Amino acid sequence: MIYKNIVVIDDLGDVFEPLNDAFSDDLEIKIRHLTSDFDSLKKYLTRDTYIILINETGLKVDLDQLVDFIQRNLFFLAIPILIVSDNEEVIKRPPKLDSPVLNVALKPLVMSDFKPRLEYAIEVFEYNRNINDISGLPGNKIISSKLLSEISKNSKFALVFLDLDNFKEFDEYYGLYKGSQVMYFLANLIEESIKEYGSIEDFVGNVGGDDFIMILKDYKAADLICKDIIAKFDKQILDFYDEDDIKNGYIETMNRDGEIEKISFMGISVVIMNYMEFKGKMFDEVFRKMNEVKKIAKQVDGSVLLDAKNY
């Protein structure tokens, strides 16, 4: 089982023990005890850490040096750090951290108040770690949770797959920075179209790479949203190309055989499905159907919208 680890760096042990008791019945959250020994931290501080809690009281190393040591590891830059101490001066002036979430707490800790605080911090961190760094949209774990929630509620919704065409070649030709700009542009464009034609309950996520998914509550509105996305995308995507390439009408890249290929400008393949029409089918079967139609869409030169019910 994969645990949500709260790592307690506690040389005294007076924070770890009551915290461990408070979470003893929790099947998902595990309290791990480490000391401030740098060699031990280097070995046992792992990527499955959700919160790092430092007991400043009785700490055998300098607090600022300890925090600096932890944050030299890029994996831990985004992990919330919580400092507890019986020294009010430490609480008032905690060390400067790069971590996006910093909390401080004065001892003695009241577990009935402190435990919910940690549980909430874990929820926030778990959500944030499943956000795509480039598009800023929810990733696979949140997407799966949302889909299963809608299905379990027997909701009516439209499922939409969106996939960029010729993005890989664009990314290789212009570089990672410009490719990231396109991803961010498309994510914003999708959100804008949902705000204009959809509802507050609509959802968009980034499956990975240049693949996006929308879960939209109204099938008719979904059609408008998809058409709006395509129209705006086709109108604005040329802004990311150089003038010479726009004049040529293509970019030139080298394929795996070492041959020069002329690659058309990016388009977007969109597949829409009224989920109620496929109700009762296995989840894998629905996704297989969507992917089959998406392959057909990607054979079309330029942007296209296809409805899965027609294929």
Side-chain angles (χ1 to χ4, degrees):
M1 181 176 179
I2 299 174
Y3 292 102
K4 301 171 185 177
N5 288 313
I6 298 176
V7 171
V8 182
I9 301 174
D10 183 9
D11 290 336
L12 282 182
D14 65 332
V15 170
F16 166 74
E17 290 179 7
L19 199 60
N20 195 44
D21 289 341
F23 283 94
S24 60
D25 295 330
D26 197 299
L27 299 178
E28 292 186 336
I29 298 173
K30 186 175 182 180
I31 312 299
R32 297 185 62 209
H33 184 202
L34 296 177
T35 66
S36 60
D37 177 70
F38 285 178
D39 289 335
S40 177
L41 291 173
K42 193 181 295 183
K43 185 176 181 179
Y44 294 109
L45 197 58
T46 57
R47 291 180 64 182
D48 56 0
T49 301
Y50 278 62
I51 295 175
I52 297 173
L53 190 153
I54 301 173
N55 181 12
E56 187 274 338
T57 308
L59 201 61
K60 294 179 180 178
V61 298
D62 180 76
L63 180 60
D64 290 305
Q65 289 181 353
L66 175 60
V67 170
D68 180 66
F69 175 82
I70 293 169
Q71 296 199 319
R72 279 187 227 149
N73 189 324
L74 292 177
F75 291 131
F76 303 126
L77 274 177
I79 294 178
I81 293 178
L82 176 60
I83 296 168
V84 298
S85 176
D86 55 11
N87 185 339
E88 290 190 7
E89 293 303 312
V90 172
I91 300 301
K92 290 176 183 177
R93 290 190 294 275
K96 294 179 180 179
L97 304 182
D98 294 323
S99 177
V101 181
L102 169 63
N103 279 305
V104 291
L106 185 65
K107 294 165 64 179
L109 301 175
V110 179
M111 284 300 158
S112 59
D113 296 327
F114 193 63
K115 183 182 176 183
R117 187 173 168 183
L118 288 177
E119 290 170 333
Y120 177 72
I122 285 175
E123 286 181 17
V124 172
F125 175 68
E126 190 167 35
Y127 181 85
N128 288 338
R129 84 187 307 195
N130 285 289
I131 297 295
N132 185 282
D133 290 339
I134 297 174
S135 66
L137 295 175
N140 285 332
K141 191 170 183 179
I142 299 172
I143 292 169
S144 298
S145 177
K146 175 66 175 176
L147 270 172
L148 291 172
S149 173
E150 294 299 329
I151 292 169
S152 67
K153 291 186 292 187
N154 205 25
S155 302
K156 294 180 180 180
F157 64 91
L159 187 62
V160 181
F161 281 14
L162 307 96
D163 188 7
L164 282 171
D165 303 324
N166 299 329
F167 175 76
K168 181 176 177 290
E169 292 82 359
F170 175 92
D171 196 45
E172 291 175 352
Y173 182 81
Y174 281 106
L176 183 62
Y177 176 71
K178 220 164 186 183
S180 298
Q181 285 184 313
V182 170
M183 291 281 289
Y184 189 71
F185 153 73
L186 179 55
N188 281 345
L189 194 157
I190 293 170
E191 288 185 323
E192 287 171 7
S193 295
I194 288 175
K195 285 178 183 176
E196 187 170 353
Y197 296 104
S199 76
I200 196 170
E201 296 179 87
D202 291 336
F203 173 88
V204 57
N206 192 176
V207 180
D210 57 346
D211 289 296
F212 296 79
I213 188 169
M214 294 190 292
I215 302 170
L216 307 173
K217 301 299 286 186
D218 188 305
Y219 181 72
K220 290 182 180 178
D223 185 67
L224 283 174
I225 290 168
C226 293
K227 289 175 179 175
D228 186 62
I229 290 169
I230 288 175
K232 289 177 179 175
F233 180 88
D234 287 346
K235 185 177 180 180
Q236 299 176 52
I237 194 60
L238 289 181
D239 293 343
F240 295 94
Y241 288 86
D242 293 343
E243 286 186 17
D244 289 343
D245 293 325
I246 294 173
K247 288 177 183 177
N248 291 333
Y250 55 83
I251 59 174
E252 289 186 341
T253 63
M254 188 176 293
N255 63 24
R256 292 178 180 177
D257 297 323
E259 301 168 338
I260 299 296
E261 280 188 321
K262 295 178 180 179
I263 305 298
S264 302
F265 297 138
M266 281 181 288
I268 183 167
S269 294
V270 184
V271 178
I272 186 171
M273 169 190 282
N274 183 347
Y275 188 79
M276 295 305 292
E277 294 177 1
F278 291 83
K279 188 179 176 183
K281 293 186 180 293
M282 296 294 290
F283 204 59
D284 290 347
E285 191 177 349
V286 171
F287 266 70
R288 196 179 306 118
K289 176 70 173 180
M290 292 289 281
N291 281 316
E292 286 173 1
V293 180
K294 189 176 75 170
K295 287 178 182 178
I296 297 171
K298 290 187 76 67
Q299 292 172 6
V300 178
D301 190 23
S303 297
V304 64
L305 169 62
L306 300 182
D307 194 319
K309 69 181 179 183
N310 298 324
Y311 296 88

